[in-house]
Amino acid sequence: MGFARTCSVALVGVEGVVVEVQADLEPGVAAFTLVGLPDKSLVESRDRVRAAVVNSGGEWPQKKLTVGLSPASVPKGGSGFDLAVACAVLGAAERVDPREIADLMMIGELGLDGRVRPVRGVLPAVLAASEAGYRQVVVPEQTAAEAALVPGVSVLGVRSLRQLIAVLTDEPVPEEEETQERGRPDPMLAGLTVPGAGMGTGVAAVPRTGAGRPDMAEVAGQRAARTALEVAAAGGHHLFLSGPPGAGKTMLAERLPGLLPPLTQQEALEVTAVHSVAGVLPPGQPLVESPPYCAPHHSATMAALVGGGNGLPRPGAVSLAHRGVLFLDEAPEFSGKALDALRQPLESGHVVVARSAGMMRMPARFLLMLAANPCPCGRYGLVGDVCECSPTTVRRYQARLSGPLLDRVDLRVHVEAVSRAELTGARAGAEDSASVAARVREARERAAARLQDTPWRLNSEVPGHELRTRWQPFPGALREAERDMERGLLTARGLDRVLRVAWTVADLAGHDRPAAPDIAQALQLRTGLSRGVPVAAGEC
């Protein structure tokens, strides 16, 4: 009788669970039994592993073979267990020393010829292995750079099962031929991405540097909207732009990620882990360093927005936009249930998805930007134009964005149609994204210094109670906001959000704490009603 064990990782959402892969050989009729709650793709690994071992020059044991995946109560799926199963079987058959594989973490799919193919979710899997105390991992060669992002872990990238066997037995490592033909994409990378899954995420489609990068200098007019974008980027505040078609709402949204500072190392690992699991991580780019931009179509379902799907839930748009921007164009055209499902992640920074196969928590701390036309035809309220929508249709269209959802949006700006003079005139004085991003960075540094000994880093994250008691504005500065609350124009949550925006306006202006003009500008950005203050940030 032979026994061996090694380890792999089962992904539950974007979190990994360490799985012990055990192989047991007993005398009897040759059979291969796989237990431990595997799914269909994992059950099929029996045939892949057998063919890979034989084609790698090994002998398949002609005994009763049982492979167990422990803990058995955790659902397991995917082809990433192939490498661990093959090595556990070889260890039980004493082809390799069982002690050499007992403390190894292995992730990878096996081809029938023994080649090791990459799988999605390597980064969160290695993170889980590191947290569990494992210091040596074996991954496919194509994902070795992604696995190496985790500090304190020794990574071995292999091309084939033959190479791994040679390393474990101290034999000469054979050279494997290149599978990629010059001028053609590498077929081994096909499993890393889901076709079409990255559409709209902007990870690879929106350049962040060089030619073709969206720049604020290209925006004609829209002074109020430009200010709102700057305030949103500086404080992490959610934004709602309303206005006629062609006014530049989408153009502004595409430039918002360029105003955000680069991701920190920890944030980059969080974003990369989500994108790796979802299959939208571009090949050759192991680390996402800039804030992502996700713009789903208005036909997206609730599962596509917040996560879900058959079996174990998959990350949705709110998780793909983690630490970045989620832009919902034509927001009233989205399903009402899908929009209201955003209320939880907007408050908590994560989303909890419950399905019959399990419940999981996925990160979803994003900056939400909504855009909408004033009515279905888009001409309601325009001077000199005739709206074809009835008053009932206009009210019904505008009511698709529920009050509780809009109450969580800090900034609401009406975007006017661009005039001919603004569009064709010289825009030499228009600021570029680099200048605005520099002010945003300085404002974030002021906020981070103020919040240094707290769990918060942005003004939008600070609870209202702390703003009212610990960091108070100048005496009397809140008088106008309190009057709006008494009139019913502001809710208690709305007053807290006005305070948060006021702190961001003060940070942009270099003030120690918000004064009456800062509160007035925050109210103007919140309600859309003129308060007699300059429209540009920092002019108060």
Side-chain angles (χ1 to χ4, degrees):
M1 183 179 73
F3 176 82
R5 65 180 180 87
T6 187
C7 291
S8 190
V9 177
L11 289 178
V12 182
V14 295
E15 298 178 354
V17 178
V18 174
V19 174
E20 187 175 77
V21 181
Q22 304 169 342
D24 178 71
L25 281 175
E26 296 179 356
V29 179
F32 188 172
T33 305
L34 184 64
V35 297
L37 212 57
D39 71 350
K40 178 66 174 177
S41 61
L42 186 50
V43 169
E44 292 175 348
S45 70
R46 295 179 301 184
D47 299 319
R48 290 196 299 270
V49 168
R50 182 188 291 111
V53 169
V54 172
N55 290 327
S56 297
E59 283 191 24
W60 187 257
Q62 298 301 315
K63 296 181 180 180
K64 181 181 179 182
L65 171 62
T66 303
V67 174
L69 308 175
S70 180
S73 59
V74 176
K76 305 166 190 72
S79 56
F81 292 89
D82 290 2
L83 199 58
V85 170
C87 287
V89 172
L90 291 172
E94 298 183 352
R95 174 66 178 86
V96 299
D97 189 347
R99 293 172 298 181
E100 293 290 332
I101 62 174
D103 295 325
L104 280 182
M105 180 68 64
M106 302 186 187
I107 305 160
E109 175 186 337
L110 285 175
L112 300 183
D113 57 355
R115 287 182 300 170
V116 180
R117 303 181 64 94
V119 294
R120 300 193 301 271
V122 165
L123 177 59
V126 177
L127 283 170
S130 176
E131 292 173 0
Y134 290 87
R135 292 295 173 260
Q136 291 182 310
V137 297
V138 180
V139 298
E141 187 181 55
Q142 292 87 345
T143 56
E146 182 181 343
L149 296 173
V150 181
V153 175
S154 175
V155 178
L156 173 62
V158 295
R159 288 188 184 180
S160 67
L161 181 60
R162 282 184 292 271
Q163 288 186 338
L164 180 56
I165 294 173
V167 171
L168 295 174
T169 56
D170 291 329
E171 298 175 359
V173 179
E175 291 291 335
E176 297 290 344
E177 296 181 0
E178 292 282 350
T179 58
Q180 180 181 7
E181 296 183 19
R182 185 172 298 179
R184 294 187 178 182
D186 189 353
M188 297 291 285
L189 300 177
L192 288 180
T193 58
V194 177
M199 298 302 294
T201 61
V203 177
V206 181
R208 299 286 177 248
T209 57
R213 178 177 62 91
D215 198 285
M216 291 290 289
E218 301 164 356
V219 179
Q222 307 302 356
R223 193 180 181 200
R226 292 172 64 100
T227 298
L229 254 69
E230 183 174 343
V231 174
H237 305 288
H238 307 304
L239 172 63
F240 174 43
L241 295 182
S242 62
K249 301 185 291 295
T250 303
M251 187 178 186
L252 287 163
E254 291 174 348
R255 282 145 184 80
L256 181 55
L259 306 183
L260 302 176
L263 300 177
T264 64
Q265 182 68 19
Q266 179 61 34
E267 292 172 344
L269 288 176
E270 294 174 5
V271 173
T272 304
V274 175
H275 289 202
S276 178
V277 170
V280 299
L281 194 63
Q285 183 180 338
L287 186 67
V288 178
E289 298 177 327
S290 57
Y293 173 75
C294 189
H297 191 261
H298 59 73
S299 62
T301 62
M302 185 165 66
L305 276 182
V306 301
N310 296 327
L312 289 174
R314 307 288 295 176
V318 296
S319 296
L320 292 175
H322 180 58
R323 301 295 182 184
V325 177
L326 175 64
F327 176 51
L328 302 185
D329 200 5
E330 308 292 346
E333 300 294 343
F334 282 80
S335 162
K337 291 183 178 180
L339 289 175
D340 287 336
L342 298 176
R343 286 150 58 176
Q344 179 212 0
L346 285 178
E347 289 287 340
S348 61
H350 64 266
V351 60
V352 178
V353 181
R355 295 291 185 270
S356 60
M359 179 183 296
M360 61 192 60
R361 180 178 182 268
M362 291 179 281
R365 188 168 297 282
F366 55 89
L367 198 162
L368 176 66
M369 183 170 179
L370 302 170
N373 296 327
C375 68
C377 76
R379 297 195 293 270
Y380 179 75
L382 290 181
V383 178
D385 209 337
V386 179
C387 176
E388 300 175 351
C389 307
S390 65
T392 303
T393 302
V394 174
R395 286 196 301 270
R396 187 181 299 116
Y397 181 81
Q398 295 178 350
R400 292 180 183 175
L401 298 177
S402 66
L405 175 63
L406 289 180
D407 202 33
R408 290 166 167 81
V409 178
D410 301 344
L411 312 174
R412 307 174 191 175
V413 176
H414 181 72
V415 180
E416 301 289 346
V418 181
S419 66
R420 181 183 61 83
E422 291 173 328
L423 189 62
T424 60
R427 295 197 297 272
E431 281 190 305
D432 58 7
S433 293
S435 302
V436 180
R439 287 200 303 271
V440 168
R441 184 174 60 254
E442 292 175 0
R444 287 203 174 199
E445 289 173 355
R446 293 190 186 98
R450 183 173 61 252
L451 304 172
Q452 184 174 5
D453 298 326
T454 70
W456 315 294
R457 289 295 173 265
L458 296 176
N459 292 323
S460 61
E461 301 172 358
V462 184
H465 173 73
E466 297 288 338
L467 290 175
R468 294 191 300 272
T469 58
R470 187 172 177 180
W471 295 289
Q472 296 182 351
F474 279 103
L478 278 174
R479 191 173 295 114
E480 188 173 358
E482 292 169 349
R483 283 200 299 266
D484 281 4
M485 189 175 178
E486 291 174 356
R487 298 191 195 107
L489 297 177
L490 278 180
T491 62
R493 181 192 287 120
L495 181 62
D496 290 344
R497 292 186 175 275
V498 166
L499 267 175
R500 294 171 181 171
V501 175
W503 271 105
T504 301
V505 173
D507 288 335
L508 285 168
H511 299 163
D512 292 335
R513 54 178 173 163
D518 299 322
I519 300 290
Q521 185 168 12
L523 281 169
Q524 182 169 308
L525 290 170
R526 169 78 182 182
T527 63
L529 302 176
S530 176
R531 306 284 172 158
V533 295
V535 73
E539 292 186 8
C540 296

